[in-house]
Amino acid sequence: MGTASERRTAPDAGADTGPGAAEGPLPTAVVVMGVSGCGKSTIARMLADRLGVPMAEGDSFHSAANVAKMTAGEPLDDADREPWLRALRDWISERAAAGDSSVMACSALKRSYRDVLRGATGCRVRFVYPAVDREVLVERLDSRGGHFMTSALLDSQLETLEPPSPDEDAVTVPAGRECPERLVEAVLAALDLPAPGPAGSAGAADPV
């Protein structure tokens, strides 16, 4: 299993209205989803810093076989993704069991993939979808190096992508050429999450 960057935790964000609400708010797991180049890793890292919670980079959970396949320009199929999604779901559940809210960057392109992540226990799983035009995505992917995901696989991802529906506890933010700091503020407002950390506390990072 891959690694995840751990940050100092803060009181849990978000609340639950279910049977456990009387015992206090459940942790919230925010999954920043989307195709490569949409900025999900940058947004996720900045959200985690603002919220003071652990953050996981979904790409680091891929098996060596998955990475080799993508490096060769071959898109993953559902069978490739299944154990990867289960590992991500379990990471969210482990953080929630410790009383921690969390943030994750994960493509989660299909509703069925998001359903697996929603199966995490002990928390409310919410999604953030940064919507970016293909032209901007290609520019970003072509300008970065050292990553197995290239613009050659972008069209496959766009074909697979199922934007989240209103019933998926998700927010969509236009993220073409907006600065990350403004996007993070928009996401926090849309999710109505408290953010004890200072604005703009995260450093620059390549969009993923």
Side-chain angles (χ1 to χ4, degrees):
M1 182 179 297
T3 60
S5 59
E6 298 290 338
R7 292 180 172 83
R8 179 178 55 83
T9 59
D12 297 327
D16 179 71
T17 57
E23 300 177 3
L26 285 177
T28 295
V30 179
V31 179
V32 186
M33 57 161 287
V35 300
S36 293
C38 73
K40 58 182 177 289
S41 292
T42 298
I43 294 170
R45 280 192 286 269
M46 295 179 73
L47 278 174
D49 282 343
R50 290 296 308 279
L51 295 169
V53 301
M55 181 264 180
E57 172 55 67
D59 283 346
S60 69
F61 287 73
H62 275 299
S63 66
N66 280 4
V67 172
K69 191 171 183 178
M70 290 184 285
T71 301
E74 300 177 40
L76 300 181
D77 57 29
D78 286 359
D80 296 321
R81 290 189 174 97
E82 183 179 357
W84 172 65
L85 291 165
R86 289 201 306 265
L88 295 173
R89 176 202 61 197
D90 292 346
W91 183 88
I92 294 173
S93 296
E94 289 166 5
R95 303 285 79 70
D100 291 336
S101 292
S102 60
V103 177
M104 175 178 288
C106 171
S107 54
L109 299 177
K110 290 183 179 181
R111 182 177 183 127
S112 60
Y113 303 162
R114 297 189 290 274
D115 286 343
V116 175
L117 300 179
R118 258 191 296 271
T121 57
C123 62
R124 177 183 180 183
V125 180
R126 310 184 71 181
F127 294 91
V128 174
Y129 170 47
V132 182
D133 291 338
R134 183 183 183 281
E135 177 185 359
V136 177
L137 294 169
V138 171
E139 288 178 8
R140 290 176 176 177
L141 293 175
D142 285 344
S143 67
R144 72 184 185 183
H147 193 279
F148 55 77
M149 185 62 70
T150 67
S151 59
L153 290 174
L154 177 60
D155 286 333
S156 173
Q157 285 200 329
L158 290 171
E159 290 173 6
T160 302
L161 175 65
E162 298 173 0
S165 301
D167 65 338
E168 291 191 74
D169 205 354
V171 297
T172 299
V173 290
R177 301 186 189 278
E178 288 287 331
C179 70
E181 291 80 8
R182 289 184 180 179
L183 288 174
V184 169
E185 293 306 313
V187 168
L188 289 169
L191 295 175
D192 193 23
L193 292 175
S201 60
D206 293 332
V208 174

